[in-house]
Amino acid sequence: MRLLVLDFLLKQQAAVSLNDLEAAFHRADRITLYRTLKTFEEKGLVHSIADGTGSVKYALCEEGCACAPEDLHVHFHCNICNETYCLPKSRIPEIALPENFKTEEISLIMKGTCASCS
Amino acid sequence: MRLLVLDFLLKQQAAVSLNDLEAAFHRADRITLYRTLKTFEEKGLVHSIADGTGSVKYALCEEGCACAPEDLHVHFHCNICNETYCLPKSRIPEIALPENFKTEEISLIMKGTCASCS
DNA sequence: TAAAGAATGCAATGCAGTTGCATGCAAACA
DNA sequence: TGTTTGCATGCAACTGCATTGCATTCTTTA
């Protein structure tokens, strides 16, 4: 089952939600898919993206992607096709913070129209 | 009631969730507070922040804050005190996007430790 | 004062995420 | 080879937050 999910993820251009997975594997149980994603996330295979749509998306980590602050990329949510894409080439620039603020995580979500829909 | 909520918001340093409001106004109905926030948001008085904690936070808009892409500030969520702050002085820098991607909204959430908790 | 419109409160719904428990499979071990 | 142990799967149920419908109350205005 996990192999099937991994295979499915490899074929995706966009990040997938639990619902997407469920639709693709209608024979499998929602819970199993959920736990599969959680396991993948723990092992560092995928990272989760809260794109503000209410449902968390998951995408495969790139080679050497530690999903750590120093290796963060931008996520783009298209309002037309409702897909969320990783933009590994768009790095998050350094942000000036007030004194004594320590960053552990950064999440940058852009919303608009993607290349396919414009 | 709306005046009370507005007054409460004015006193806050951090963004408030619906639960925060409910705790502060335990005499008022959750739904009323919810609709009050929605109304404020529609009118441009507050902006909503999805900080990834599962509950949406609201904060008063600054003077002249159009909450538009060109006027976006950073939000900071402290993992210790669980508060979410607006950092109006930390502007979101220009991000290089792939060809034909059009941005309409940007949301940048940083997580870590705030000044009070460090 | 009467009527119209808006605000409030109660109840109920929907959805996403999550957990507990029982079952089944498969590898490790005696 | 038979047993045991651990993990994966599936079902059911629960939680929390957001949201809507409907009835009631308040306010405004003619």
Side-chain angles (χ1 to χ4, degrees), chain A residues 50 52 74 76 79 85 87 89-116 118, chain B residues 50 52 74 76 79 85 87 89-116 118:
Chain A
V74 176
F76 189 95
N79 290 328
Y85 301 96
L87 301 181
K89 290 179 184 160
S90 300
R91 289 303 176 89
I92 298 182
E94 199 72 26
I95 310 269
L97 278 184
E99 195 113 14
N100 288 325
F101 277 71
K102 286 178 205 156
T103 311
E104 288 157 17
E105 277 179 70
I106 304 186
S107 138
L108 202 165
I109 312 284
M110 308 185 79
K111 301 195 182 187
T113 311
C114 74
S116 319
S118 63
Chain B
V74 175
F76 189 95
N79 291 327
Y85 300 95
L87 301 180
K89 290 180 185 162
S90 299
R91 288 304 176 88
I92 299 181
E94 199 73 25
I95 310 270
L97 279 184
E99 194 112 16
N100 288 325
F101 277 71
K102 286 178 205 154
T103 311
E104 288 157 18
E105 275 179 72
I106 305 186
S107 139
L108 202 165
I109 313 283
M110 309 185 77
K111 300 195 183 187
T113 312
C114 75
S116 318
S118 63

Side-chain angles (χ1 to χ4, degrees), chain A residues 38-86:
Chain A
K38 282 291 175 191
T39 307
F40 283 0
E41 193 182 10
E42 261 176 40
K43 304 298 181 189
L45 248 73
V46 304
H47 58 274
S48 62
I49 312 160
D51 60 5
T53 58
S55 60
V56 179
K57 306 285 197 313
Y58 297 85
L60 284 176
C61 291
E62 299 275 315
E63 184 80 21
C65 154
C67 295
E70 66 271 15
D71 186 37
L72 277 177
H73 54 271
V74 176
H75 292 112
F76 189 95
H77 177 79
C78 175
N79 290 328
I80 310 291
C81 62
N82 263 314
E83 299 284 9
T84 299
Y85 301 96
C86 292

